[in-house]
Amino acid sequence: MELDHNTVYLLLGSNLGDREGVLNKAIDLISKNIGKVISRSSIYETEPWGKADQPAFLNLALQVQTSLSAILVLEKALEIEKQLGRIRIERWGSRTIDIDVIFFNAEVIHIKDVLTIPHPEMQNRKFVLEPLFEIAGNVNHPVLNQTVKELYETLTDKATVKKI
Ligand code: PH2
Ligand code: MG
Ligand code: MG
């Protein structure tokens, strides 16, 4: 078997400080600590979801090839968030960096209070689907059994999402 046999899709977000600089540092740390970055979407400026009264986010999606398990990818992602100065203040609130696991191969994973893959809300959020569609339109959602393209086309979230 190949060494880097897992394909993981990550969604990165930042709405505090030097947003673009932080995203680039996160990508660098992901390539050093998680695996090879196979593709990256453009950066999108996105309207905050969940709590309107906060600065706009920058979001982007990555495809990464890794030898790590899903839970280890999560652990590494949390370490990188910490390293880049993330402090968890409130749910859906501002953050210097957020790294979410969207897909891990075609696996369905549910570890209560720890990790759910595919990301349970990804199909409802334009700030996830628009960047993801750019690099993963043909990827199938293993629970909904629709491609990212199909999910994107039937999305009802009308939030402002703009490529920068
Ligand atoms: N992340 C959240 C809550 N709201 N809104 C946008 N636009 N982008 C995000 O990445 C985001 C959000 C929780 O992680
Ligand atoms: Mg998130
Ligand atoms: Mg997160």
Side-chain angles (χ1 to χ4, degrees), residues 131-151:
L132 193 62
F133 174 52
E134 195 187 330
I135 63 166
N138 293 326
V139 173
N140 191 61
H141 189 299
V143 178
L144 303 173
N145 200 25
Q146 293 182 67
T147 64
V148 168
K149 180 173 192 281
E150 287 166 336
L151 294 172

Tab-separated table of all heavy atoms in Angstrom, residues 131-151:
chain	number	residue	atom	x	y	z
A	131	PRO	N	-15.712	27.110	-1.806
A	131	PRO	CA	-14.304	26.737	-1.995
A	131	PRO	C	-14.118	25.252	-2.312
A	131	PRO	O	-13.299	24.880	-3.158
A	131	PRO	CB	-13.646	27.084	-0.656
A	131	PRO	CG	-14.601	27.960	0.069
A	131	PRO	CD	-15.969	27.699	-0.479
A	132	LEU	N	-14.893	24.407	-1.659
A	132	LEU	CA	-14.749	22.961	-1.882
A	132	LEU	C	-15.123	22.583	-3.315
A	132	LEU	O	-14.468	21.742	-3.935
A	132	LEU	CB	-15.638	22.211	-0.877
A	132	LEU	CG	-15.380	20.718	-0.750
A	132	LEU	CD1	-13.966	20.442	-0.243
A	132	LEU	CD2	-16.407	20.084	0.186
A	133	PHE	N	-16.158	23.207	-3.817
A	133	PHE	CA	-16.598	22.946	-5.193
A	133	PHE	C	-15.480	23.239	-6.194
A	133	PHE	O	-15.313	22.525	-7.185
A	133	PHE	CB	-17.850	23.797	-5.488
A	133	PHE	CG	-18.311	23.732	-6.908
A	133	PHE	CD1	-18.533	22.520	-7.537
A	133	PHE	CD2	-18.541	24.896	-7.627
A	133	PHE	CE1	-18.963	22.456	-8.853
A	133	PHE	CE2	-18.968	24.847	-8.940
A	133	PHE	CZ	-19.176	23.629	-9.554
A	134	GLU	N	-14.683	24.251	-5.884
A	134	GLU	CA	-13.590	24.615	-6.802
A	134	GLU	C	-12.578	23.481	-6.971
A	134	GLU	O	-12.001	23.324	-8.040
A	134	GLU	CB	-12.904	25.886	-6.257
A	134	GLU	CG	-12.012	26.557	-7.263
A	134	GLU	CD	-11.207	27.712	-6.663
A	134	GLU	OE1	-11.659	28.375	-5.709
A	134	GLU	OE2	-10.094	27.932	-7.176
A	135	ILE	N	-12.350	22.699	-5.931
A	135	ILE	CA	-11.318	21.646	-6.029
A	135	ILE	C	-11.877	20.226	-5.936
A	135	ILE	O	-11.139	19.267	-6.122
A	135	ILE	CB	-10.220	21.820	-4.939
A	135	ILE	CG1	-10.796	21.687	-3.523
A	135	ILE	CG2	-9.481	23.140	-5.122
A	135	ILE	CD1	-9.722	21.510	-2.448
A	136	ALA	N	-13.163	20.074	-5.623
A	136	ALA	CA	-13.680	18.721	-5.335
A	136	ALA	C	-15.113	18.521	-5.831
A	136	ALA	O	-15.887	17.789	-5.213
A	136	ALA	CB	-13.612	18.468	-3.826
A	137	GLY	N	-15.443	19.131	-6.964
A	137	GLY	CA	-16.818	19.041	-7.477
A	137	GLY	C	-17.314	17.619	-7.653
A	137	GLY	O	-18.488	17.322	-7.441
A	138	ASN	N	-16.406	16.718	-8.026
A	138	ASN	CA	-16.826	15.340	-8.318
A	138	ASN	C	-16.781	14.405	-7.116
A	138	ASN	O	-17.127	13.234	-7.236
A	138	ASN	CB	-15.952	14.738	-9.422
A	138	ASN	CG	-16.196	15.434	-10.742
A	138	ASN	OD1	-17.322	15.854	-11.031
A	138	ASN	ND2	-15.141	15.590	-11.540
A	139	VAL	N	-16.351	14.907	-5.984
A	139	VAL	CA	-16.251	14.041	-4.804
A	139	VAL	C	-17.648	13.755	-4.260
A	139	VAL	O	-18.487	14.651	-4.140
A	139	VAL	CB	-15.362	14.697	-3.727
A	139	VAL	CG1	-15.383	13.895	-2.435
A	139	VAL	CG2	-13.932	14.834	-4.242
A	140	ASN	N	-17.891	12.494	-3.942
A	140	ASN	CA	-19.207	12.067	-3.468
A	140	ASN	C	-19.297	12.170	-1.947
A	140	ASN	O	-18.377	11.760	-1.241
A	140	ASN	CB	-19.455	10.619	-3.901
A	140	ASN	CG	-20.901	10.207	-3.679
A	140	ASN	OD1	-21.809	10.796	-4.258
A	140	ASN	ND2	-21.112	9.213	-2.832
A	141	HIS	N	-20.416	12.710	-1.474
A	141	HIS	CA	-20.680	12.737	-0.036
A	141	HIS	C	-21.205	11.354	0.363
A	141	HIS	O	-22.271	10.937	-0.101
A	141	HIS	CB	-21.712	13.815	0.271
A	141	HIS	CG	-21.909	14.080	1.723
A	141	HIS	ND1	-22.348	13.112	2.598
A	141	HIS	CD2	-21.716	15.205	2.462
A	141	HIS	CE1	-22.422	13.640	3.811
A	141	HIS	NE2	-22.037	14.900	3.757
A	142	PRO	N	-20.465	10.631	1.216
A	142	PRO	CA	-20.798	9.227	1.457
A	142	PRO	C	-22.094	9.000	2.237
A	142	PRO	O	-22.603	7.884	2.245
A	142	PRO	CB	-19.595	8.695	2.246
A	142	PRO	CG	-18.973	9.899	2.864
A	142	PRO	CD	-19.246	11.043	1.930
A	143	VAL	N	-22.635	10.020	2.865
A	143	VAL	CA	-23.912	9.856	3.587
A	143	VAL	C	-25.073	10.333	2.716
A	143	VAL	O	-26.076	9.633	2.541
A	143	VAL	CB	-23.907	10.627	4.928
A	143	VAL	CG1	-25.249	10.495	5.631
A	143	VAL	CG2	-22.779	10.131	5.826
A	144	LEU	N	-24.919	11.511	2.127
A	144	LEU	CA	-26.004	12.084	1.315
A	144	LEU	C	-26.025	11.486	-0.081
A	144	LEU	O	-27.015	11.612	-0.807
A	144	LEU	CB	-25.837	13.606	1.239
A	144	LEU	CG	-25.795	14.307	2.603
A	144	LEU	CD1	-25.455	15.787	2.435
A	144	LEU	CD2	-27.125	14.145	3.328
A	145	ASN	N	-24.927	10.846	-0.447
A	145	ASN	CA	-24.778	10.242	-1.767
A	145	ASN	C	-25.054	11.216	-2.911
A	145	ASN	O	-25.758	10.912	-3.863
A	145	ASN	CB	-25.650	8.982	-1.877
A	145	ASN	CG	-25.168	8.071	-2.992
A	145	ASN	OD1	-23.981	8.108	-3.359
A	145	ASN	ND2	-26.061	7.296	-3.562
A	146	GLN	N	-24.496	12.410	-2.771
A	146	GLN	CA	-24.515	13.409	-3.838
A	146	GLN	C	-23.098	13.968	-3.951
A	146	GLN	O	-22.364	13.986	-2.959
A	146	GLN	CB	-25.446	14.566	-3.484
A	146	GLN	CG	-26.913	14.186	-3.434
A	146	GLN	CD	-27.761	15.419	-3.111
A	146	GLN	OE1	-27.847	16.346	-3.896
A	146	GLN	NE2	-28.344	15.417	-1.940
A	147	THR	N	-22.765	14.451	-5.136
A	147	THR	CA	-21.447	15.054	-5.287
A	147	THR	C	-21.461	16.459	-4.682
A	147	THR	O	-22.514	17.060	-4.476
A	147	THR	CB	-21.040	15.160	-6.767
A	147	THR	OG1	-21.959	16.041	-7.412
A	147	THR	CG2	-21.017	13.802	-7.436
A	148	VAL	N	-20.243	16.973	-4.456
A	148	VAL	CA	-20.112	18.351	-3.969
A	148	VAL	C	-20.785	19.311	-4.945
A	148	VAL	O	-21.458	20.268	-4.536
A	148	VAL	CB	-18.622	18.697	-3.765
A	148	VAL	CG1	-18.421	20.183	-3.541
A	148	VAL	CG2	-18.045	17.894	-2.596
A	149	LYS	N	-20.635	19.041	-6.235
A	149	LYS	CA	-21.286	19.884	-7.253
A	149	LYS	C	-22.802	19.892	-7.059
A	149	LYS	O	-23.443	20.942	-7.077
A	149	LYS	CB	-20.931	19.354	-8.645
A	149	LYS	CG	-21.532	20.124	-9.788
A	149	LYS	CD	-20.956	19.607	-11.121
A	149	LYS	CE	-21.291	20.540	-12.287
A	149	LYS	NZ	-22.655	20.360	-12.768
A	150	GLU	N	-23.382	18.722	-6.861
A	150	GLU	CA	-24.838	18.640	-6.661
A	150	GLU	C	-25.264	19.370	-5.380
A	150	GLU	O	-26.276	20.073	-5.366
A	150	GLU	CB	-25.288	17.172	-6.632
A	150	GLU	CG	-25.249	16.523	-8.000
A	150	GLU	CD	-25.365	14.992	-7.970
A	150	GLU	OE1	-25.036	14.365	-6.943
A	150	GLU	OE2	-25.765	14.429	-8.996
A	151	LEU	N	-24.474	19.196	-4.322
A	151	LEU	CA	-24.799	19.882	-3.067
A	151	LEU	C	-24.711	21.399	-3.254
A	151	LEU	O	-25.557	22.147	-2.761
A	151	LEU	CB	-23.846	19.439	-1.946
A	151	LEU	CG	-23.956	17.971	-1.525
A	151	LEU	CD1	-22.836	17.612	-0.563
A	151	LEU	CD2	-25.315	17.698	-0.879
